[in-house]
Amino acid sequence: MTARVVLLVTSPRLPVGLLTAAAWDVVRGNPVLAGAESELTAAVRAAGAEVTVPDGPPVPALLHAAAAHGAAVWLAGPAGDESLARELGLRLAREPGLAELELMYGSWDPPGARLLDAVEVMDRLASPGGDPWKRAQTHRSLAGYLIEECYEAYDAIGADDTDALREELGDVLLQVLLHARMAEELPDGARWTVDDVAGGLVDKMIRRNPHVFADDRATTLDEITANWERIKRAEKARDSVLDGIAPSLPALALAAKILDRAGRAGLTVPLPAADPPDGARLDPEARLGAELLAAVAAARAADLDPEAALRRAALAYADAIRAAEHTAPRP
């Protein structure tokens, strides 16, 4: 009967010892070898299995154990031990009678597992001995980077470039992780972590989507939106329908948001007139502002996004300028 070598691969992002039933059966029933001592080797030993870390080359030791016992298990390290798997595969390709090779997954990365890696990397960068630049930052010094990265993601969406969007969202996530890591060093009572950020988001998503997580009967988009607004109002005691609008929004987007909130609240407030009926004359900036606000209101009535419209026109004009630069005579 041909000996059997099992390469047992586990997720380094899950608690040690969290293995499938098949994986526990194979480690309890056969000798186990590993490249180094670890929390996983300790957990396997604690469960009653025999684990050995070879002093010499691992492949001959693994094949010897398989030949002696009929089967042997290699407990792969966090990186998967690809070099050992390659060496073992080449050896068995040359001498197929030595053993049969089987790859077994004792545990798998859950969706979002690489987020744990991102948190770990950020912790190292922002801890003593890490990156001096990151350790020197404050929430305020990073504020501009957060806006910049969001705009770059916005541009990728506008360009329908999903590869660029993936990269830019990573840069946005970097800002989230860095702010959360910095908050771990706030004074007692003000301190919070990335888990607090994620936990608050999870609670909010569940609370504001009762049509998914509870027994709410909302089925249409209008009903779902109305529920969202009702729940949001109950969560946040606000004195005005405009509370929560970020004043730092770009001016056109800010105007559109204000008009949208007023419209949803059923409020009808006259727009400022560029030519007041009382004959008063506005200064040029106030007159221009009134005209622009009227244009934003007209865009909203036409279900158009004024910020996107102006951006599109400005970028098209920029293209025209670049084209003219190639044809205009140089001064």
Side-chain angles (χ1 to χ4, degrees), residues 17 35 48 56 66 96 101 106 166 168 220 234 290 293:
L101 182 60
R166 181 192 66 242
E168 299 303 341
T220 68
L293 185 58

Side-chain angles (χ1 to χ4, degrees), residues 2 26 34 90 97 115 130 247 255-256 263 292 296 304 320 326:
T2 305
V26 77
L90 291 173
L115 290 173
L292 289 173
V296 172
L304 296 172
H326 293 294

Side-chain angles (χ1 to χ4, degrees), residues 3-330:
R4 176 182 173 218
V5 173
V6 178
L7 293 182
L8 182 60
V9 179
T10 60
S11 169
R13 302 172 185 90
L14 293 178
V16 295
L18 190 62
L19 304 179
T20 64
W24 276 121
D25 287 343
V26 77
V27 298
R28 287 192 178 112
N30 302 284
V32 179
L33 289 79
E37 297 290 351
S38 65
E39 291 182 353
L40 182 56
T41 60
V44 171
R45 280 198 190 96
E50 173 194 344
V51 183
T52 303
V53 177
D55 293 331
V59 169
L62 183 58
L63 290 173
H64 176 75
H69 299 275
V73 180
W74 180 263
L75 194 60
D81 294 352
E82 291 184 10
S83 60
L84 177 135
R86 188 180 304 109
E87 180 183 347
L88 181 61
L90 291 173
R91 175 75 181 275
L92 294 180
R94 293 193 303 268
E95 303 177 67
L98 288 177
E100 293 179 351
L101 182 60
E102 176 184 347
L103 176 64
M104 176 180 288
Y105 288 93
S107 58
W108 295 266
D109 282 348
R114 294 310 301 271
L115 290 173
L116 300 176
D117 293 344
V119 171
E120 182 178 354
V121 168
M122 179 55 67
D123 180 64
R124 181 172 178 182
L125 288 171
S127 294
D131 178 15
W133 185 88
K134 289 181 175 58
R135 287 186 53 76
Q137 301 310 304
T138 65
H139 293 299
R140 188 175 294 276
S141 71
L142 290 171
Y145 293 104
L146 179 58
I147 293 175
E148 180 181 341
E149 300 300 355
C150 288
Y151 270 122
E152 290 182 3
Y154 183 94
D155 288 342
I157 293 172
D160 291 324
D161 190 339
T162 55
D163 287 337
L165 177 59
R166 181 192 66 242
E167 180 180 353
E168 299 303 341
L169 287 176
D171 291 339
V172 174
L173 178 60
L174 168 64
Q175 298 301 310
V176 174
L177 295 175
L178 184 50
H179 280 283
R181 177 59 183 80
M182 289 164 45
E184 292 182 26
E185 299 181 6
L186 292 172
D188 290 344
R191 188 178 300 138
W192 45 270
T193 71
V194 69
D195 286 320
D196 296 316
V197 175
L201 174 61
V202 169
D203 292 344
K204 182 186 293 186
M205 288 192 297
I206 293 174
R207 190 170 59 246
R208 292 190 183 179
N209 291 277
H211 57 290
V212 176
F213 297 103
D215 298 328
D216 191 272
R217 300 293 183 181
T219 54
T220 68
L221 288 179
D222 287 342
E223 289 174 340
I224 292 170
T225 302
N227 268 353
W228 178 280
E229 293 297 334
R230 175 181 54 78
I231 296 168
K232 188 174 179 180
R233 285 194 302 271
E235 291 174 355
K236 299 177 181 287
R238 288 174 167 168
D239 298 324
S240 168
V241 296
L242 304 183
D243 288 348
I245 297 178
S248 57
L249 280 171
L252 284 180
L254 176 63
K257 195 76 172 176
I258 290 171
L259 290 168
D260 181 64
R261 287 280 187 91
R264 281 191 287 168
L267 298 173
T268 303
V269 179
L271 296 173
D275 295 304
D278 60 4
R281 293 184 60 82
L282 299 179
D283 66 77
E285 184 179 89
R287 181 184 179 88
L288 176 60
E291 291 171 347
L292 289 173
L293 185 58
V296 172
R300 180 177 178 274
D303 200 24
L304 296 172
D305 181 346
E307 184 78 19
L310 181 57
R311 182 180 298 273
R312 177 180 175 182
L315 292 176
Y317 186 57
D319 289 340
I321 291 175
R322 291 190 178 95
E325 287 177 322
H326 293 294
T327 57
R330 296 290 181 181

